[in-house]
Amino acid sequence: MPPLPCPPGLARACAVVVLLTAGPAQAGERLALVIGNSAYRSIQPLPNPAGDARLIAQRLRELGFSVQAVQDADLAVMRAALRDFSGRIGRAGKDAVALLYYAGHGVQDDKNRNYLIPVDAQLRSQADLVDGAVKVEYVQELLEDARPRIALMILDACRNNPLPATSRGGARGLAPIDSRMRGTFIAFSTAPGQTALDGDPDGNSPYATALAAELERPAGSFEETFRRAHLRVLTATNGAQIPWTSSSVVDEFSFAPPASPAAPVRPPPAALAADAPAPNLEDPDLEYQKAVLADSILDYERFLQRFPRHARRDTVVKLIALKREDMLWRQIEQAADANQQVRMLDRLINAFPDGAYLDRARRRRADLIERLSPSAAPVPPPGPIPSRPLAPQPGPAPSRPPAPQPPPRQPGAVQVLAGARWAIASAANCGTARKTYRLSARAGTIEWRDGAGNVDVEAVLSNSPSSLTTETVRSIRPNGGGVAPGSRWTYDLSALPQVRVQPAGKAPFTLVPCR
């Protein structure tokens, strides 16, 4: 069956995640579950995923995988197929190699949790994701519980966000996926938080095309297969789509079929044509290909030093930034001291204002600031003094003043503001929809909502009993407009019941409580 056509200009973002458990390279039965969702009933249909899934399934069969294919799966079918796949892996034994490929809609929520969307999903808000979609963590747990020798999870998830505009999170695409098992390789068809392209209307996505081409005759390690596929994507999209990987794999693995002889190392894709001229060792384009295939900050920086005006310079700069941000985030994850984490998070937020980890970094920083605040943790009351026999005293004990008691914990500004309705400037505005606000608080963020449907979400940077500092994460206006992300706000509670609000660079205003 030929691939389904894709409408021109349809934006698509696909993440490819491969989880490999370290172990010997080529032993064991190869099992695959391939799910392709195109015919969505209540949200935008996606023509390309079905064709991409068929293409990848064909390559997997050629590589010796026993493939179970499921097309246009609703929630019940998806969950049943995943459970059945986990059972098949368990029955195949500890030497099994398991691969899951999913193509279809995928989305992340406000907490950077990723979901795969079945064709019967009815998404009115993010709350519908919990019961109406498949959480990626659930898929990871199934693979971990089945315990194959090698587990590969490939998410070719279209990410033109299917949620209504008023319910979408601040971040695009899928969130970075943390490694859950030792020996994990994660590859995204485009950088986390970004969107990828669908490709030609009558073809496949650039990433599926590139990966299938490399799987057709895999050579060398699986890492080389992905690096070569990434080079194909960069070339096909003129650098507009930048694949991204993260790896903790220490063992060797190859996609080549177990019975096949070792395939020779192949030249970069641009040199595969039969009429390609002999390579020039000083050819800048060839050096660019070498840098991408090496995929290290050092090789990218050497390339920029040698060819500072190369046409792919901006692409290489982005590749370096992606690797540096990921490296800094991993250092933050390993830092044991909370104050050190805050300083490192500040570095990440300032250095990568459009980075993949920005939302996650802001939330973690706000949580740490809350914990480090003197009023953040309640002081336990003094316990009872254990009774014991009194020793004989030569005389009356000298009188001592009582030990000072710690002050009672004071509520932070968030807790005070969340306890009332607030109007701008005057209590006379308490009946005006656009001038009356309610505040709700979540971990690390607050949300202001007025009676006209306008919503502002702010990350909490500091929260003391007398003041609150925040930064706008997103602003939703049904009729357009809104507050620019990154805007800073300071709430002064020293003159309660009134609250003085100071927007950065703008005139202050007052909030008064509505009785």
Side-chain angles (χ1 to χ4, degrees):
M1 181 182 294
L4 294 173
C6 176
L10 179 64
R12 173 170 196 242
C14 300
V16 177
V17 181
V18 180
L19 301 178
L20 285 113
T21 308
Q26 300 293 346
E29 185 177 357
R30 294 185 169 196
L31 305 173
L33 170 62
V34 176
I35 302 175
N37 285 346
S38 283
Y40 286 92
R41 304 166 192 172
S42 300
I43 58 179
Q44 181 183 7
L46 296 171
N48 263 15
D52 291 340
R54 288 193 292 270
L55 178 61
I56 298 300
Q58 177 184 343
R59 293 292 180 265
L60 293 176
R61 290 188 179 100
E62 294 168 353
L63 296 174
F65 283 85
S66 173
V67 179
Q68 174 190 358
V70 179
Q71 185 166 331
D72 294 331
D74 59 24
L75 181 61
V77 171
M78 279 187 68
R79 288 179 173 170
L82 289 166
R83 289 193 299 268
D84 180 68
F85 184 52
S86 179
R88 291 173 57 205
I89 300 170
R91 291 189 295 272
K94 63 180 181 179
D95 290 331
V97 176
L99 183 149
L100 168 67
Y101 178 90
Y102 167 83
H105 269 304
V107 67
Q108 67 168 302
D109 64 10
D110 280 341
K111 296 183 179 179
N112 303 118
R113 296 173 300 197
N114 294 318
Y115 293 86
L116 311 180
I117 312 301
V119 296
D120 62 342
Q122 298 186 13
L123 304 180
R124 295 172 292 273
S125 69
Q126 291 195 22
D128 294 326
L129 292 170
V130 176
D131 296 322
V134 176
K135 196 174 181 180
V136 170
E137 287 184 7
Y138 169 73
V139 181
Q140 290 177 270
E141 290 171 359
L142 285 178
L143 290 176
E144 292 171 9
D145 291 343
R147 298 186 179 277
R149 180 175 60 84
I150 297 175
L152 302 92
M153 180 172 68
I154 303 177
L155 303 183
D156 200 351
C158 299
R159 298 179 308 209
N160 47 325
N161 198 319
L163 286 167
T166 56
S167 299
R168 295 176 184 173
R172 299 186 299 167
L174 292 182
I177 299 177
D178 295 330
S179 303
R180 296 176 59 103
M181 295 185 292
R182 179 180 179 272
T184 299
F185 179 81
I186 302 175
F188 288 81
S189 64
T190 191
Q194 301 298 314
T195 54
L197 305 174
D198 261 317
D200 296 333
D202 296 324
N204 299 99
S205 72
Y207 196 90
T209 300
L211 183 59
E214 292 302 323
L215 290 177
E216 186 173 7
R217 44 177 180 171
S221 70
F222 75 95
E223 291 161 318
E224 182 182 347
T225 298
F226 277 96
R227 286 195 295 266
R228 295 169 68 87
H230 295 173
L231 178 56
R232 288 180 181 270
V233 173
L234 290 169
T235 302
T237 64
N238 197 28
Q241 181 174 325
I242 300 178
W244 177 90
T245 64
S246 177
S247 178
S248 62
V249 176
V250 296
D251 195 36
E252 296 181 357
F253 174 77
S254 174
F255 281 107
S260 66
V265 177
R266 290 153 47 204
L272 294 178
D275 57 350
N280 180 356
L281 295 181
E282 294 299 320
D283 180 2
D285 291 336
L286 183 59
E287 294 304 311
Y288 165 74
Q289 294 177 16
K290 290 180 179 179
V292 173
L293 292 177
D295 195 32
S296 72
I297 292 177
L298 180 61
D299 285 278
Y300 289 137
E301 288 180 337
R302 285 174 175 169
F303 172 79
L304 290 179
Q305 291 173 358
R306 294 180 61 191
F307 308 103
R309 298 187 179 183
H310 193 272
R312 303 291 187 189
R313 179 186 183 280
D314 291 345
T315 298
V316 175
V317 170
K318 292 178 183 177
L319 287 165
I320 293 174
L322 286 168
K323 285 191 166 294
R324 284 182 172 160
E325 183 191 14
D326 184 64
M327 182 184 302
L328 179 54
W329 180 258
R330 291 177 183 273
Q331 293 171 352
I332 293 170
E333 295 266 82
Q334 297 171 1
D337 180 72
N339 287 290
Q340 181 186 9
Q341 282 197 37
V342 171
R343 292 191 295 270
M344 296 172 73
L345 287 166
D346 286 338
R347 282 174 51 200
L348 188 147
I349 292 169
N350 292 328
F352 306 100
D354 299 317
Y357 293 97
L358 182 63
D359 287 348
R360 194 176 296 185
R362 284 172 170 166
R363 282 203 308 275
R364 177 171 293 190
R365 185 188 188 280
D367 290 343
L368 289 170
I369 293 295
E370 179 92 13
R371 284 163 41 194
L372 293 171
S373 172
S375 63
V379 178
I385 299 176
S387 61
R388 58 182 177 180
L390 295 176
Q393 299 292 330
S399 61
R400 289 184 295 180
Q405 297 296 316
R409 182 189 180 191
Q410 299 295 321
V414 169
Q415 289 74 23
V416 174
L417 291 170
R421 286 191 307 133
W422 300 89
I424 295 178
S426 169
N429 292 325
C430 287
T432 305
R434 293 184 180 275
K435 295 185 177 181
T436 306
Y437 293 83
R438 282 191 180 276
L439 179 145
S440 60
R442 299 180 182 177
T445 62
I446 62 174
E447 179 181 283
W448 289 100
R449 186 182 297 270
D450 69 11
N454 299 316
V455 181
D456 291 314
V457 179
E458 300 165 20
V460 177
L461 304 181
S462 65
N463 177 32
S464 73
S466 61
S467 67
L468 171 68
T469 304
T470 65
E471 183 178 81
T472 299
V473 176
R474 64 183 178 281
S475 184
I476 300 171
R477 296 292 185 272
N479 297 323
V483 181
S487 301
R488 291 290 181 99
W489 304 81
T490 301
Y491 300 80
D492 182 2
L493 278 66
S494 61
L496 284 174
Q498 294 187 350
V499 177
R500 186 175 184 270
V501 185
Q502 177 64 66
K506 297 183 180 180
F509 61 91
T510 302
L511 293 177
V512 298
C514 296
R515 305 297 180 186

